[in-house]
Amino acid sequence: MDAEERRRGILEATRRTGAAEVNKLAADFGVARETVRRDLRVLEDHGLVRRTHGGAYPVESAGFETTLAHRTTMHVPEKNRIAAAAGDLIGDAETVFIDEGFTPQLIAARVPVDRPLTVVTASLATAGVLAGREHTTVLLLGGRV
C-alpha cells in the first residue's frame, strides 16, 4: 500500500467513525505511529482532517474545497478520460472558454493544435499550457488582485 492509498484509508476511517487514534491507525495499516502522524499532517494541510492529541477527526463542510495541489493527485485516470472527451467535443469551434482547475488544465492539453483556435480562460496554468502553440490564441481574463 502506497502513501496515497494509506491516506485515503485513514480519511475513510476518520469519516466512518468520526475520529481516529494514531495507535489504532498504525496497527490497522501496519505502519509506525510516526508514519500515521506524517499522514495526518498531510491530510490536515489539505484541510481534510483536524489533528488532535493522539488522533484526528474529519473536517466536513459543504463549502470546503481541497487545494489544487491535492486535486492533481485525485482521480487522475478519470480526469484524463473527461479531458479526452471534452477535447473531442470542441469539434470545429473557433473559440472556447476553459475554466480554472486541474481537469480544465488537462482539457487544455487536448485542444486541437492543427487549426486556429481562440481559448478564453482566467487560469494562468491553463494559459501556460496553451501559450506556446502556433495556431492557438489565448485570451487571459483580467481582474482585480
Side-chain angles (χ1 to χ4, degrees), residues 26-132:
D28 290 349
F29 291 99
V31 296
R33 290 184 307 247
E34 187 54 39
T35 300
V36 172
R37 287 185 190 102
R38 278 193 302 269
D39 289 341
L40 291 174
R41 268 193 295 276
V42 169
L43 291 170
E44 185 175 49
D45 290 345
H46 290 304
L48 299 170
V49 300
R50 180 93 58 226
R51 289 187 304 147
T52 62
H53 181 72
Y57 61 91
V59 175
E60 302 295 328
S61 168
F64 173 75
E65 187 171 327
T66 57
T67 64
L68 180 59
H70 180 67
R71 290 191 310 268
T72 62
T73 65
M74 297 174 52
H75 310 294
V76 175
E78 293 87 349
K79 291 177 181 186
N80 276 317
R81 286 195 300 273
I82 291 168
D88 291 342
L89 289 174
I90 291 173
D92 293 332
E94 295 177 5
T95 304
V96 295
F97 174 81
I98 300 180
D99 204 355
E100 297 183 50
F102 180 60
T103 304
Q105 286 176 34
L106 295 174
I107 293 169
R110 302 286 187 127
V111 300
V113 297
D114 58 343
R115 63 180 182 79
L117 181 67
T118 299
V119 177
V120 180
T121 185
S123 168
L124 288 172
T126 298
V129 168
L130 299 167

Side-chain angles (χ1 to χ4, degrees), residues 13 16-17 19-31 33 36 54:
R16 184 175 54 253
T17 62
E21 295 179 6
V22 170
N23 291 335
K24 180 164 180 6
L25 291 170
D28 290 349
F29 291 99
V31 296
R33 290 184 307 247
V36 172

